[in-house]
Amino acid sequence: MNRHITLLLALLTIILYSCAEHSTLRDRLYKAESVMEADPKAAMAILDSICTDQLSNDSDKALFALLYSQARDKNYIDVTDDSLVNIAVTYYTGRSDDLHKERANYYLACVKCNAGDYAAGMTAVSEALRIAKALDDDREIARAYELMADLHNATYNSSRSLHYRYLTRQHYRKARLPRETAYSELDLAIGLYNDRQYNRSIALIDSLMPTINGDSLFQAHCLSALVRPLLYTADYRRAAKVLAQLKDFTGIYSLTCQDYANLAELYLYAGDIDKAQFYIERSASLSPEAIQPAIARYRLHLKDCLLYTSDAADE
């Protein structure tokens, strides 16, 4: 009899321990989800502390897959393999958890975009948008439109991208998210530039500058975005002034390949071929493969300028 009681107590202890361990894992998943928006690094740290072998049921595995995909994206870790996020997509498809279903499709679209599979990305984000609209969730609707704009921009469809930039701003405003609204307006200004509406781009960025309240990084991004339309409207004096201002943000902002290309263009306009060549090479070293043809064209332009300068000197 005592032997049976001892065995039952041992089994009960194992069951209670397993339940407690499962509860602790689920609590950590919920904690990661709760801090994801405010502190993605903290969310990633929590998720990294979880041993995936201990995720014993499909719901926990799916939630982990979704949250880890989300944390990677929010920490600017570009992923091209969709195997993890598809665990979440497969699980939530056909289930009534619409918010997690929407986010699973959204992050699948992000992965497809990173992989350059823009058609699959558009399919996934369209499904995310459909669910977000059914939920009447303006924040999620805005994010879906934002990704659609990025996808169209990646395929050089500037007019469609611009259309979705306007919708993004509209829904971030409706969601009453001032920071996201500000960045969506900056993206809209860049979209106007891409659509060759240079003066409207300049006017929108100028209107954003007085609204910046201590967000130095956002100010730096605004200054960076302002230079291109200024160059295209031949306002070289102001473009040079803006680039000089941008150098004041060195501690929080790193110059991009586009910033270096802008510097090259300014020096070319000023007739300083050596510095123009130096900065175009700096730009080339940072440029993604997709814009290397543009860099090659710029090098040919510099070569023509050098030949012209040499011929002029010979005369």
Side-chain angles (χ1 to χ4, degrees), residues 48-193:
D48 280 334
S49 72
I50 294 174
C51 176
T52 55
D53 291 340
Q54 295 177 335
L55 299 170
S56 57
N57 61 58
D58 289 343
S59 64
D60 285 350
K61 290 175 182 177
L63 183 57
F64 177 86
L66 172 57
L67 294 178
Y68 207 82
S69 299
Q70 186 177 6
R72 281 172 165 173
D73 184 76
K74 286 186 172 295
N75 283 287
Y76 306 103
I77 301 170
D78 289 342
V79 176
T80 57
D81 182 351
D82 64 4
S83 57
L84 180 65
V85 71
N86 264 324
I87 294 172
V89 173
T90 301
Y91 178 81
Y92 291 117
T93 297
R95 287 181 165 80
S96 59
D97 189 345
D98 287 337
L99 183 58
H100 284 143
K101 188 192 306 181
E102 185 273 329
R103 288 180 179 172
N105 279 280
Y106 173 83
Y107 287 107
L108 173 61
C110 290
V111 172
K112 293 297 185 183
C113 183
N114 292 338
D117 190 349
Y118 302 125
M122 189 60 75
T123 298
V125 76
S126 296
E127 176 63 7
L129 178 63
R130 183 192 67 77
I131 300 168
K133 285 182 174 181
L135 291 169
D136 196 23
D137 188 325
D138 283 304
R139 178 183 176 279
E140 298 300 320
I141 293 171
R143 291 199 319 148
Y145 280 137
E146 192 171 35
L147 185 52
M148 284 180 165
D150 291 343
L151 286 163
H152 280 294
N153 186 61
T155 54
Y156 303 102
N157 191 338
S158 59
S159 59
R160 289 302 294 168
S161 178
L162 187 59
H163 169 71
Y164 288 118
R165 294 293 181 208
Y166 279 112
L167 289 171
T168 300
R169 180 178 67 172
Q170 174 188 332
H171 284 278
Y172 274 136
R173 281 177 172 174
K174 288 178 70 176
R176 297 183 180 181
L177 295 168
R179 188 172 186 276
E180 286 80 357
T181 299
Y183 273 95
S184 72
E185 291 195 294
L186 178 57
D187 285 338
L188 175 57
I190 295 169
L192 288 166
Y193 158 75

Side-chain angles (χ1 to χ4, degrees), residues 2 5 18 21 87 109 133 151 165 192 196-197 262 290:
N2 287 337
I5 292 173
S18 298
E21 186 176 37
I87 294 172
K133 285 182 174 181
L151 286 163
R165 294 293 181 208
L192 288 166
R196 301 184 181 183
Q197 299 183 48
N262 292 340

Side-chain angles (χ1 to χ4, degrees), residues 178-217:
R179 188 172 186 276
E180 286 80 357
T181 299
Y183 273 95
S184 72
E185 291 195 294
L186 178 57
D187 285 338
L188 175 57
I190 295 169
L192 288 166
Y193 158 75
N194 289 335
D195 202 46
R196 301 184 181 183
Q197 299 183 48
Y198 306 128
N199 288 320
R200 292 187 67 190
S201 176
I202 293 167
L204 179 52
I205 297 173
D206 282 341
S207 74
L208 290 174
M209 298 299 279
T211 68
I212 298 168
N213 296 314
D215 191 340
S216 298
L217 184 58

